[in-house]
Amino acid sequence: MEGLKAILLICDGMADRPVPRLGARTPLEAANNINMNTLALQGECGLMDPIAPGVRAGSDTSHLAILGYDPYTAYTGRGPFEAAGIGMDVRKGDIAFRCNFSTVDGNMLVIDRRAGRIEQGTDQLAAAVNGMQIEDVACYFKESVAHRGALVLRGPGLGACVTDADPHEAGAKVHEAKPIDPNDQAGAKTAGIVNEFVRRSYAILKEHPINKAREAERRLPANIILPRGAGVAPHIESFEERYRLKGAAVVETGLIAGIAVYLGMDIVEAPGATGGLDSDVMSIGRTVLKALEDHNFVLCNIKGCDIAGHDGDPDAKVKMIERIDDVVGMLMREVDRCTYIILTADHATPISVKDHSGDSVPIVFWGPDVRVDSIQVYDERSVVGGGIVRIPGTAVMNILTNLMSTQEKFGA
Ligand code: ZN
Ligand code: ZN
């Protein structure tokens, strides 16, 4: 593709707080990340609050915000994005749920919410319940990884304000889904459909040959589907409509893929990308370059730092940052002079918190015509005082499309 292009590299959960074991440095400060520092030296730096200062972001809401969509209106729960991410056809207004294949006994008591962590055969089990028609509602179900799946309901008069059928603990009875507000007719209708779907899934799955075989091997059968986290598929303007950029996504998790698919971006798979600490990050980098041949915007998410943060493992996080640093160096060498690189994180996942925190994250814009500032080092504290100062996530695409001259003027 001709003209200006951009790579938005989001290192999941890379930002952190000072870690005593690293001499009160953050993993970014402790890492040997010379290429990131070069990016900072040649670029314009600052801090970003993915959603707003102090707000603890999920990866999904944060990616929406960084791509320029207000998460408070665009995000209606994980269900619709999860379903889109595993390749289901999700249309505006559909009601989508995350689901587990679970194991229940004849009294609907949950024995295992994850059906013995079933790995194989869920595609056949899913096919057996997919496409069910309940009243005037079509029910689509597809398996995801391991015991997970997604349910999409399509029909008139449905609403997403319903409670979960999943009781969220073993030993409890499967819940009847109910409307959150007893006077909500759309919620009541949806709850009725969900309950019937759960009943029928049990009737079909408990007799399924896959489960008969599992029982013969003394393994738990995946004999019921338990939906949770209802969300209505939101109306969202596609990425291309909004920015006039043809976007691709090279991402490691179904959740982020779901966001990208929902925004109409093309998903490009990187060989060897595992979403773990062992991921082939160089392959991810090469895939980004490949995607740039026929797109002018590529979103890339590398997951590893977030995993190390959740594990509370500073050494693993430092190592992951250094491996990503090699990718940054390769991208800087390989892209042409018309390409921007934005390097940031979708949130902090501090070693001390072992979960996402509301801390700000460093960001750098690198590429043609950027007003290079005096910052020379890329980490949480060194970027303070850079030209970007401190921005919310929703400003990133404005700054980028301003640089790329694809933004329409506001006013005369
Ligand atoms: Zn994240
Ligand atoms: Zn995380």
Side-chain angles (χ1 to χ4, degrees):
M1 255 193 162
E2 296 292 299
L4 296 172
K5 301 178 191 180
I7 298 167
L8 172 56
L9 175 53
I10 298 182
C11 306
D12 210 298
M14 179 168 67
D16 212 300
R17 296 175 182 173
V19 181
R21 263 200 45 207
L22 298 176
R25 294 172 299 173
T26 68
L28 256 179
E29 288 168 348
N32 179 14
N33 55 341
I34 183 166
N35 294 304
M36 294 183 185
N37 291 342
T38 305
L39 209 64
L41 177 74
Q42 300 173 356
E44 188 174 12
C45 296
L47 286 173
M48 176 180 72
D49 296 293
I51 302 217
V55 174
R56 292 181 61 209
S59 293
D60 42 13
T61 48
S62 169
H63 276 73
L64 275 171
I66 296 170
L67 292 170
Y69 296 83
D70 176 1
Y72 291 104
T73 55
Y75 187 75
T76 53
R78 267 174 83 162
F81 298 107
E82 188 126 328
I86 57 172
M88 294 181 82
D89 172 26
V90 186
R91 303 184 191 164
K92 324 288 179 195
D94 288 351
I95 309 296
F97 301 79
R98 307 170 70 200
C99 299
N100 271 12
F101 282 101
S102 304
T103 309
V104 292
D105 68 12
N107 296 318
M108 288 288 147
L109 278 176
V110 175
I111 296 165
D112 186 350
R113 282 186 67 238
R114 301 181 182 90
R117 296 199 176 264
I118 186 167
E119 289 288 343
Q120 266 153 27
T122 53
D123 53 340
Q124 292 167 66
L125 296 173
V129 298
N130 181 36
M132 222 183 259
Q133 187 77 25
I134 302 176
E135 298 172 25
D136 54 359
V137 176
C139 308
Y140 301 99
F141 182 84
K142 191 168 189 286
E143 78 288 354
S144 172
V145 287
H147 54 273
R148 301 181 189 91
L151 171 68
V152 171
L153 304 182
R154 184 172 305 145
L158 297 174
C161 297
V162 294
T163 60
D164 296 346
D166 183 346
H168 294 271
E169 56 180 352
K173 218 169 163 185
V174 171
H175 286 178
E176 289 276 314
K178 291 190 178 76
I180 291 166
D181 172 358
N183 299 319
D184 170 14
Q185 288 193 354
K189 174 172 177 178
T190 306
I193 303 287
V194 168
N195 293 329
E196 181 60 20
F197 174 83
V198 171
R199 270 191 289 277
R200 289 197 202 173
S201 77
Y202 176 64
I204 294 167
L205 296 181
K206 74 178 162 69
E207 305 298 339
H208 196 283
I210 295 255
N211 280 328
K212 293 288 177 201
R214 284 180 71 82
E215 285 172 315
E217 294 163 4
R218 298 187 159 277
R219 289 153 75 183
L220 292 171
N223 61 11
I224 198 163
I225 292 167
L226 297 180
R228 66 183 190 276
V232 60
H235 294 263
I236 302 184
E237 192 183 10
S238 81
F239 188 81
E240 189 162 357
E241 277 172 324
R242 179 169 290 196
Y243 300 115
R244 290 179 290 163
L245 293 173
K246 192 164 160 43
V250 182
V251 298
E252 291 200 282
T253 68
L255 189 63
I256 313 291
I259 303 265
V261 168
Y262 214 91
L263 299 178
M265 300 169 88
D266 295 326
I267 302 292
V268 187
E269 303 277 349
T274 64
L277 292 162
D278 61 347
S279 193
D280 186 346
V281 292
M282 215 34 113
S283 163
I284 294 175
R286 284 191 295 271
T287 306
V288 167
L289 291 173
K290 187 122 193 47
L292 218 51
E293 287 171 12
D294 49 5
H295 298 84
N296 40 23
F297 177 91
V298 180
L299 165 72
C300 177
N301 175 286
I302 300 181
K303 180 76 178 158
C305 292
D306 183 57
I307 301 206
H310 283 287
D311 290 347
D313 185 341
D315 299 326
K317 196 162 184 181
V318 168
K319 198 167 153 212
M320 194 69 208
I321 290 168
E322 292 176 346
R323 291 181 60 218
I324 295 173
D325 190 66
D326 291 338
V327 179
V328 170
M330 189 269 284
L331 292 175
M332 289 170 76
R333 279 192 304 279
E334 296 292 329
V335 296
D336 60 28
R337 292 168 153 277
C338 301
T339 304
Y340 291 92
I341 298 176
I342 304 167
L343 173 68
T344 190
D346 57 342
H347 48 77
T349 308
I351 299 295
S352 59
V353 179
K354 294 189 179 178
D355 203 343
H356 305 184
S357 72
D359 300 74
S360 58
V361 303
I363 186 166
V364 56
F365 286 76
W366 179 92
D369 233 12
V370 163
R371 291 199 305 218
V372 178
D373 57 24
S374 59
I375 305 297
Q376 303 186 9
V377 175
Y378 184 85
D379 62 48
E380 296 86 344
R381 288 184 276 207
S382 299
V383 298
V384 172
I388 300 290
V389 190
R390 185 161 178 160
I391 55 169
T394 48
V396 171
M397 287 304 297
N398 287 342
I399 294 172
L400 178 66
T401 54
N402 173 48
L403 285 165
M404 294 176 83
S405 303
T406 57
Q407 193 186 121
E408 277 178 53
K409 184 158 51 175
F410 175 47

